[in-house]
């Protein structure tokens, strides 16, 4: 999206250059016009560089978030397993009873 906006601004800048050159603005001398065009070109180049840096930075951040999501899913699964194990290992007086075993089977199903 930023690249599309940058392309549109670049086209607008080129049109502005052509307009300034073809109109021969009477208020400004050609030297002043070329100076302002040069400044605009420098600003455009600066913005292009900034967008490229931002894009590289965002790619890096996106990759870090992907790694985080993968690790988070693993940790969440392990936590669930450990909680289940802790719940199953709780000492109770009914451990050996048939009713307790039926309840555990029903819970597992």
């Amino acid at each position: 999206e930023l690249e599309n906006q940058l392309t549109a601004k670049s086209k607008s800048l080129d049109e502005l250059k052509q307009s300034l050159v073809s109109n021969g603005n009477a208020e400004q001398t050609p030297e002043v016009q070329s100076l302002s065009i040069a400044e605009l070109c420098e600003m455009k180049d600066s913005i292009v560089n900034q967008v490229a840096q931002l894009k590289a930075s965002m790619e890096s951040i996106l990759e870090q978030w992907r790694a985080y999501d993968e690790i988070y899913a693993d940790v969440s699964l392990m936590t669930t397993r450990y909680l289940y194990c802790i719940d199953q290992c709780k000492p109770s007086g009914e451990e050996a009873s048939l009713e307790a075993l039926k309840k555990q089977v029903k819970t597992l199903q």
Side-chain angles (χ1 to χ4, degrees):
E1 186 177 325
L2 287 174
E3 290 177 1
N4 292 338
Q5 290 177 356
L6 184 60
T7 303
K9 295 292 181 184
S10 179
K11 287 180 183 177
S12 297
L13 182 61
D14 290 339
E15 290 172 3
L16 180 62
K17 285 183 205 176
Q18 291 298 330
S19 173
L20 286 173
V21 170
S22 65
N23 288 340
N25 194 346
E27 297 173 5
Q28 296 181 345
T29 64
E31 294 83 16
V32 173
Q33 286 179 357
S34 66
L35 178 62
S36 63
I37 291 173
E39 289 173 352
L40 289 173
C41 288
E42 286 178 24
M43 289 170 38
K44 182 187 103 174
D45 291 341
S46 173
I47 291 171
V48 168
N49 289 335
Q50 289 175 1
V51 169
Q53 290 173 353
L54 180 61
K55 187 175 179 181
S57 176
M58 292 303 291
E59 288 292 328
S60 172
I61 291 169
L62 185 60
E63 188 59 38
Q64 290 173 359
W65 274 109
R66 285 185 191 126
Y68 169 82
D69 285 341
E70 290 175 15
I71 293 169
Y72 180 81
D74 291 343
V75 168
S76 179
L77 180 62
M78 285 189 279
T79 303
T80 303
R81 286 179 180 167
Y82 292 136
L83 289 174
Y84 175 78
C85 289
I86 289 171
D87 188 49
Q88 296 304 312
C89 294
K90 284 182 182 175
S92 68
E94 306 175 358
E95 282 184 15
S97 76
L98 182 59
E99 288 299 318
L101 292 174
K102 285 181 182 178
K103 185 178 178 183
Q104 184 178 4
V105 168
K106 191 180 251 187
T107 302
L108 291 173
Q109 289 175 343

